[in-house]
Amino acid sequence: MNFTNTKPKVYFKTFGCRTNVFDTQVMMSNLKDFEITQDEKSANVVVINSCTVTNSADSTARGYINSLNKLPNKPRVVFTGCGVWTKGETLFKEEKVDSLFGHSEKENINELLKNEERFFNAGDLEHIDETIVEEFVGKSRAFIKIQEGCDFRCSYCIIPYVRGDARSYSEDKILEQITTLASNGFGEFILTGTNVGSYGKKKHTSLAKLLKKISLIKGVRRIRMGSIEPIQINDEFKEIIDEPFMARHLHIALQHTSKKMLEIMNRRNKVLSDLELFEFLKDKGYALGTDFIVGHPGETDELWKEAIENLHRFPLTHVHAFTYSKRDGTPSATMREQVKGDIAKARYNELVSIIDEKNYNFRKNNKTTLEVLIEQEKNGKYIGLDQYFNQIEIQSSADLVGDWVFIENYEAKDKINVAKF
């Protein structure tokens, strides 16, 4: 009889947002009887951490599932993430996947994967993880999830229905998490969640208070945040804007710059107060990004013209733009006055072109020293992000991966900065 100590190999495929990136790390941290592989062709099990923010995201995941049939190993396919609550039942019944489990069950992944029978365990929408992640596989920056869920009910968004209402992680757990990672060499931390700015709700604390405490941890050099709502940048938050630990980039979710469209989308922000906030942050030296949905039902030519006129006034440098994609189960999905696909695409291109030009001008006119964390080497060049969340490509004879470098002289190219070091 032959005995082997070889553990089954698990490959993780992560779709969607930074929160999913963190959730995958939580699952990796809880695997004891399996080996993690970066090569899906050698995997015995493929775990798909899905996104379901749009119908298109569902289709992408389904396409990936179908592609696994072509692998020589024919791995066991396990499905998790937000898609469990929207498409999980269908995938399970159609036997597209072998097993499924929801967000609340990811810390039990080791025992779940040891169960070789088919199962569907959706779990609940109230869970908060207890896992302390000690390493981020293949990453130079650490993603820290500080909260889960959202209390907003924007008309186009399914996420509150698949991740639950807003709830915050324990401050002690977050600080322990960051202390552990900082002692393991991480210096940059990205705070993520479904609605980051809601951190501290019902816990008598706030995002600003948490940021101050994180900054006191030895080894913490720079803190970034996921998307924040305009109304969440209050006076308390503004008091820490000048602190050196703050990355000089904020991503603030506008979603649109037409007053009427914000009403249709059931948004809480207002164009004029948004513009005032962005001007304040620009004067503080910040690069500013946003989310923007193009082609939402009701977006007439007149409203789009208004939005573009307003957009030119905003000191934006980055955009995460979407053409509206119908998400079954949301109020927007049943709205009339749908925008044709070719019109939405043209508007998307117009929007992105405007922000690309704003970003180029920001980089070209910037006179401050860039503080860059080098994340990878690619084609003989070192790639990293500066404090403004702009990518830079550095030519150097030294191995810079994982290092912090200061760049005083650089050239602003079309999409990227370039320099020698």
Side-chain angles (χ1 to χ4, degrees):
M1 184 177 290
N2 294 324
F3 292 92
T4 177
N5 290 323
T6 303
K7 295 180 179 180
K9 294 181 178 180
V10 180
Y11 176 79
F12 286 88
K13 179 68 173 180
T14 305
F15 292 99
C17 63
R18 291 169 173 174
T19 303
N20 269 11
V21 172
F22 183 86
D23 288 344
T24 294
Q25 296 294 334
V26 169
M27 288 188 281
M28 288 179 173
S29 297
N30 282 284
L31 277 184
K32 308 300 179 189
D33 299 307
F34 299 83
E35 176 186 338
I36 298 168
T37 179
Q38 301 296 317
D39 178 15
E40 63 183 6
K41 293 179 181 178
S42 69
N44 305 107
V45 182
V46 173
V47 176
I48 300 168
N49 192 359
S50 64
C51 172
T52 193
V53 69
T54 63
N55 288 356
S56 176
D58 288 333
S59 298
T60 300
R62 179 179 280 267
Y64 179 73
I65 291 168
N66 291 336
S67 75
L68 295 175
N69 292 326
K70 301 174 184 177
L71 294 181
N73 257 14
K74 290 290 178 67
R76 180 180 166 207
V77 181
V78 180
F79 191 80
T80 187
C82 293
V84 167
W85 288 86
T86 54
K87 297 299 180 182
E89 188 173 352
T90 299
L91 291 170
F92 192 70
K93 286 181 177 178
E94 293 177 353
E95 297 189 6
K96 293 287 186 181
V97 297
D98 296 297
S99 300
L100 298 93
F101 62 89
H103 291 298
S104 64
E105 307 306 307
K106 61 182 173 287
E107 291 180 296
N108 302 321
I109 187 172
N110 194 72
E111 293 305 312
L112 290 171
L113 294 191
K114 285 168 68 175
N115 176 9
E116 296 186 1
E117 301 293 324
R118 295 191 79 219
F119 64 83
F120 188 151
N121 188 346
D124 61 58
L125 294 177
E126 300 174 357
H127 180 77
I128 287 289
D129 300 328
E130 294 293 330
T131 298
I132 298 297
V133 177
E134 297 182 358
E135 191 58 67
F136 275 76
V137 178
K139 302 289 182 182
S140 298
R141 303 176 295 152
F143 295 85
I144 307 297
K145 187 156 77 168
I146 64 171
Q147 66 84 228
E148 183 67 273
C150 182
D151 291 337
F152 287 33
R153 292 296 184 268
C154 302
S155 62
Y156 50 82
C157 188
I158 195 71
I159 298 304
Y161 307 101
V162 298
R163 283 195 177 266
D165 292 334
R167 52 207 187 273
S168 300
Y169 278 56
S170 156
E171 184 181 89
D172 290 343
K173 282 287 182 184
I174 295 168
L175 298 178
E176 181 183 355
Q177 174 85 77
I178 294 175
T179 300
T180 299
L181 288 164
S183 68
N184 287 340
F186 286 90
E188 179 167 321
F189 297 87
I190 299 96
L191 306 186
T192 185
T194 316
N195 187 333
V196 172
S198 69
Y199 178 79
K201 188 177 181 180
K202 299 177 183 177
K203 282 184 172 288
H204 308 292
T205 185
S206 66
L207 180 58
K209 290 183 176 68
L210 177 66
L211 287 164
K212 290 177 185 177
K213 292 184 178 181
I214 293 173
S215 72
L216 299 176
I217 296 173
K218 184 179 179 180
V220 172
R221 188 160 180 167
R222 186 157 73 196
I223 306 172
R224 298 189 190 273
M225 278 154 286
S227 184
I228 304 175
E229 295 290 329
I231 61 173
Q232 292 167 341
I233 300 182
N234 55 21
D235 290 342
E236 182 188 33
F237 191 94
K238 289 177 181 178
E239 289 176 1
I240 63 170
I241 284 296
D242 295 323
E243 294 291 341
F245 60 80
M246 292 283 288
R248 288 315 191 250
H249 168 266
L250 285 171
H251 190 92
I252 304 168
L254 296 176
Q255 303 300 1
H256 217 280
T257 47
S258 158
K259 177 182 177 181
K260 179 63 177 178
M261 284 308 304
L262 290 175
E263 292 174 0
I264 292 172
M265 292 174 163
N266 197 32
R267 294 283 299 161
R268 302 186 186 187
N269 52 307
K270 308 293 182 184
V271 174
L272 291 179
S273 56
D274 290 346
L275 182 58
E276 182 180 351
L277 171 64
F278 273 61
E279 289 288 352
F280 166 78
L281 293 169
K282 182 202 74 171
D283 292 343
K284 290 291 186 177
Y286 275 71
L288 297 165
T290 196
D291 298 311
F292 202 110
I293 298 174
V294 172
H296 186 281
E299 189 186 72
T300 62
D301 290 341
E302 291 75 20
L303 293 181
W304 179 248
K305 181 180 178 182
E306 174 201 339
I308 287 298
E309 288 175 354
N310 287 334
L311 188 76
H312 280 291
R313 300 164 64 193
F314 276 80
L316 281 159
T317 57
H318 299 74
V319 67
H320 191 188
F322 306 84
T323 53
Y324 171 76
S325 177
K326 184 178 177 181
R327 173 66 272 178
D328 295 335
T330 64
S332 295
T334 60
M335 290 181 182
R336 297 182 179 180
E337 297 185 44
Q338 298 284 327
V339 178
K340 291 182 179 179
D342 58 339
I343 294 175
K345 185 176 181 180
R347 291 175 181 177
Y348 172 91
N349 291 335
E350 181 181 8
L351 169 72
V352 171
S353 177
I354 291 169
I355 305 305
D356 281 349
E357 183 177 1
K358 286 175 176 283
N359 178 270
Y360 174 74
N361 289 331
F362 177 90
R363 290 184 288 112
K364 184 178 67 174
N365 297 326
N366 179 54
K367 305 301 180 185
T368 59
T369 299
L370 302 183
E371 187 174 352
V372 182
L373 172 60
I374 304 298
E375 296 189 71
Q376 62 175 315
E377 182 271 331
K378 188 176 182 181
N379 299 326
K381 304 290 177 63
Y382 292 94
I383 310 295
L385 289 168
D386 64 23
Q387 65 268 45
Y388 303 108
F389 201 59
N390 287 316
Q391 195 174 76
I392 186 166
E393 184 180 271
I394 300 173
Q395 181 180 335
S396 177
S397 58
D399 182 0
L400 301 179
V401 175
D403 290 348
W404 292 82
V405 296
F406 293 90
I407 303 295
E408 294 185 4
N409 298 306
Y410 68 93
E411 182 180 358
K413 296 283 191 179
D414 186 30
K415 298 287 187 182
I416 194 172
N417 294 329
V418 297
K420 293 182 179 180
F421 182 81

